[in-house]
Amino acid sequence: MGFGNVAAERAAIEMTYEGRCTVTELQSAKDPVTKATGQHRVIVLLDEPCAVSQTTLRGVTSTETDNTINYDAKLFISPDVTIKAGSEINVIQDGMDIRFQQVGKPFRYPTHQEIMLNEVGRV
């Protein structure tokens, strides 16, 4: 990858982003009424373009009313955003609405970053 082509390569990668994600992280906040401080989920990114790809199938859980397929995934997103470990990432892509948790340290490239995710539930 030549340095002169980074902008064009980044634009080409971002054209493949068919998903949108909302990222929340735990932050300390004081309740205005009780004055107690506690951990609350706060939105840090809203409707951010992204792409998700399945990486590992972890098995199928079956009950009388539900068949759940558990898998790990990889998030592709702009290198300009910061997503902290443990953040929850809700992705809407290809008719799916899935909640993930970041499980790995982001691997950054000049054109994008890749983040390993665990599915934590369908919304």
Side-chain angles (χ1 to χ4, degrees):
M1 173 176 12
F3 290 109
N5 295 328
V6 171
E9 291 172 6
R10 180 173 174 175
I13 289 171
E14 289 178 350
M15 286 179 59
T16 68
Y17 292 174
E18 296 178 356
R20 307 296 278 191
C21 68
T22 297
V23 178
T24 61
E25 63 185 42
L26 284 175
Q27 295 182 358
S28 292
K30 185 180 277 191
D31 185 295
V33 175
T34 66
K35 307 296 185 214
T37 299
Q39 296 287 314
H40 302 279
R41 286 226 164 260
V42 176
I43 294 174
V44 293
L45 286 175
L46 181 63
D47 202 31
E48 186 72 26
C50 67
V52 170
S53 175
Q54 178 181 327
T55 60
T56 307
L57 184 63
R58 290 187 280 125
V60 177
T61 304
S62 296
T63 65
E64 282 186 29
T65 59
D66 186 34
N67 289 322
T68 302
I69 299 171
N70 298 309
Y71 62 92
D72 295 325
K74 187 183 291 185
L75 178 72
F76 297 84
I77 196 164
S78 166
D80 298 335
V81 301
T82 299
I83 301 175
K84 294 180 181 177
S87 293
E88 284 192 2
I89 302 164
N90 191 74
V91 178
I92 297 173
Q93 177 178 303
D94 298 327
M96 298 179 291
D97 190 347
I98 306 172
R99 191 174 68 235
F100 296 98
Q101 186 171 39
Q102 178 178 340
V103 294
K105 185 175 181 179
F107 197 88
R108 291 183 192 268
Y109 297 92
T111 55
H112 68 287
Q113 65 179 308
E114 299 176 11
I115 301 171
M116 294 303 297
L117 304 173
N118 243 346
E119 181 182 13
V120 293
R122 293 188 183 272
V123 177

